[in-house]
Amino acid sequence: MSISDDDRPIRKVAHEIGSDLSLLSVDELASRIALLQEEIARLEAEKIRKGASRSAAEKLFR
């Protein structure tokens, strides 16, 4: 028996860009800020990794 997409638990979105922040507590805001800072660091690291790959490829084909 396989699990269909309908049977999987729905993942709660931790933060949606542009969402209403007025009902969040200070602790919830701090938690979301930390989450977004971690995501920014992850994105920056991937950008650097891809930039290095691209740079190496450009040097190879010059």
Side-chain angles (χ1 to χ4, degrees):
M1 183 164 111
S2 68
I3 297 176
S4 70
D5 289 338
D6 295 334
D7 295 337
R8 294 182 186 180
I10 298 173
R11 185 175 161 207
K12 183 180 174 187
V13 177
H15 181 75
E16 185 177 326
I17 303 298
S19 63
D20 182 19
L21 305 175
S22 63
L23 299 177
L24 298 177
S25 70
V26 172
D27 288 339
E28 289 170 320
L29 289 168
S31 176
R32 288 186 184 203
I33 289 168
L35 174 74
L36 291 169
Q37 287 173 332
E38 290 172 10
E39 182 64 5
I40 289 168
R42 189 177 75 90
L43 290 165
E44 290 288 348
E46 183 66 11
K47 183 177 111 177
I48 290 168
R49 187 188 70 77
K50 287 188 177 195
S53 295
R54 182 177 182 173
S55 178
E58 286 176 351
K59 287 179 183 178
L60 179 67
F61 292 108
R62 281 189 186 168

